[in-house]
Amino acid sequence: MLSTKAKLVALIPVIVIGATLYLGWTHMTRMDANILSQDATLTAPITQISATVPGRIAEIHVSENEAVKKGDLLFTLEDDSYRLLVAQAEAELKAAEALYDSQQRSIAAETANAQIAVQQIERARANLELANETLERLLPLQPKGYVTDQQVQDARTAKRDAEVSLEQALQQSKAADALISTPEETLAVIEARRAALDLAKHNLANTKIFSPHDGRVVGLKFSSGQFVVSGAPLFTLVNTGQWFATALYREAELKNLPAGACASVYVMADRSVEIRGRVQGIGWGVATESMIELPSALPYVPKELDWVQIAQRFPVRIELIDPPENLMRIGASASTVVRHGDDC
């Protein structure tokens, strides 16, 4: 029979193996529940601030690293030439409107002339009808000697004159109708002048550039007097309303990183501060060594050795929740832990 001491000695290897297996299982469980990445970088949306119209900088109202609010005036351009363009467009619009008014008066006069021509036609037809009736009444009386030949001849002459007058009245009416102009062309000119004025005012307003969102000024290198072209960036505005941590995780870990999972982010500047976050999504592609020489907008993430097999890493974007402003800088190094089952 073995003594109690001998039994205990015999159980030691079993206890050690059991403890080792338990610790390994616990470690693997914790690894699956809390996935760590020490290769993370802080990012935020950025806006390249530029002018939409060319001009010389009159005044810059911000400074490097300054915090600005949405709607704050960032800088202004010299606006003398743009004010002159507005004045020119206003004058051209007034000229077109004056031409339209004059044309309206001409149209009114032309319309009146056409109405007079219509009245003349009606009178000429009445005269012709009367001349016909007179001639028809005199012709039966001529053989009986009740009227003279001169009276009949005068009646025929009056009829011919009435026919000529009617023809002339008809021609005058056609001419009067043809002379009546329409304002469509002038109205089109007015619309074009109004559009030109609106554009001139729009360009004048664009000599003042305002902040599109809250942020911080980064990369300001210009001063007043610098001539800028439209679309050329003057500086960068970091959108401080949204911050993200982009962490690199091995592809074997991606199945345990669902969108919406809670995360903790620790910035290298102060690792004692835990910043809460939520997984927004996993990158759908990275550039590899075989693609590096081809034009690509994909992020380049080099592979690293993982035992024998080389594992590719993919960027996982984590949206930060109420991050401390003093620790938020684009490009800052950080580590992330994605947790399962915890409340963000």
Side-chain angles (χ1 to χ4, degrees):
M1 295 293 295
L2 294 175
S3 64
T4 302
K5 183 177 181 180
K7 290 180 180 179
L8 292 175
V9 171
L11 288 174
I12 289 175
V14 178
I15 294 172
V16 171
I17 293 173
T20 302
L21 292 175
Y22 174 77
L23 291 175
W25 177 82
T26 303
H27 177 71
M28 292 301 295
T29 302
R30 292 185 63 186
M31 287 288 291
D32 289 339
N34 301 280
I35 307 175
L36 171 68
S37 172
Q38 299 191 48
D39 191 359
T41 304
L42 296 189
T43 61
I46 62 173
T47 302
Q48 299 294 337
I49 300 299
S50 61
T52 56
V53 294
R56 196 174 302 279
I57 298 176
E59 187 175 1
I60 296 180
H61 297 268
V62 294
S63 58
E64 178 72 3
N65 299 321
E66 181 179 348
V68 297
K69 296 293 184 182
K70 181 178 180 179
D72 286 352
L73 182 62
L74 300 178
F75 66 94
T76 59
L77 302 178
E78 295 178 355
D79 60 1
D80 293 343
S81 59
Y82 292 100
R83 291 185 183 278
L84 291 174
L85 289 174
V86 170
Q88 180 183 7
E90 288 176 339
E92 291 176 347
L93 176 59
K94 289 180 180 179
E97 291 174 339
L99 177 61
Y100 176 74
D101 292 339
S102 176
Q103 189 176 24
Q104 288 293 90
R105 291 191 294 271
S106 298
I107 291 174
E110 293 161 357
T111 303
N113 291 334
Q115 292 175 348
I116 293 173
V118 171
Q119 294 173 356
Q120 290 175 343
I121 291 174
E122 294 175 354
R123 185 177 63 182
R125 282 176 176 165
N127 291 337
L128 178 58
E129 185 177 355
L130 179 59
N132 277 328
E133 292 176 353
T134 301
L135 181 60
E136 289 175 357
R137 189 180 69 253
L138 294 178
L139 286 175
L141 300 176
Q142 184 182 15
K144 299 178 181 180
Y146 294 130
V147 294
T148 65
D149 292 341
Q150 183 63 43
Q151 288 177 312
V152 174
Q153 185 64 29
D154 290 343
R156 286 195 176 97
T157 301
K159 178 184 177 182
R160 285 195 297 271
D161 289 342
E163 289 174 345
V164 172
S165 297
L166 177 59
E167 182 63 25
Q168 290 177 344
L170 290 172
Q171 295 298 328
Q172 288 176 352
S173 179
K174 290 180 180 179
D177 290 338
L179 288 175
I180 298 177
S181 57
T182 57
E184 282 77 9
E185 182 178 355
T186 305
L187 288 174
V189 173
I190 289 176
E191 291 301 318
R193 295 291 182 264
R194 284 176 180 166
L197 177 58
D198 291 340
L199 180 60
K201 289 181 177 179
H202 178 71
N203 289 338
L204 176 61
N206 283 335
T207 59
K208 294 182 178 180
I209 290 80
F210 299 91
S211 176
H213 50 71
D214 295 352
R216 283 193 177 272
V217 176
V218 178
L220 177 59
K221 300 177 181 179
F222 298 99
S223 63
S224 58
Q226 173 70 34
F227 187 88
V228 296
V229 296
S230 58
L234 270 72
F235 57 86
T236 300
L237 187 64
V238 178
N239 187 343
T240 54
Q242 290 181 304
W243 284 96
F244 302 90
T246 300
L248 301 181
Y249 281 95
R250 295 180 179 87
E251 50 194 327
E253 300 170 330
L254 300 182
K255 63 180 181 296
N256 297 319
L257 300 172
C262 298
S264 295
V265 179
Y266 302 90
V267 182
M268 184 176 289
D270 189 352
R271 292 187 179 275
S272 64
V273 178
E274 178 186 4
I275 305 172
R276 295 179 300 117
R278 182 180 290 105
V279 175
Q280 188 185 69
I282 302 171
W284 285 99
V286 295
T288 61
E289 289 85 349
S290 60
M291 300 169 57
I292 200 64
E293 301 204 356
L294 298 175
S296 175
L298 297 174
Y300 173 65
V301 179
K303 287 186 177 182
E304 62 178 18
L305 288 174
D306 184 16
W307 297 101
V308 178
Q309 188 178 12
I310 298 178
Q312 181 64 61
R313 295 179 298 162
F314 286 85
V316 176
R317 199 181 198 199
I318 299 172
E319 183 179 5
L320 305 186
I321 302 173
D322 297 326
E325 182 180 357
N326 62 314
L327 296 180
M328 294 298 101
R329 288 177 173 80
I330 290 181
S333 299
S335 58
T336 62
V337 179
V338 177
R339 307 187 309 272
H340 294 279
D342 292 343
D343 186 8
C344 297

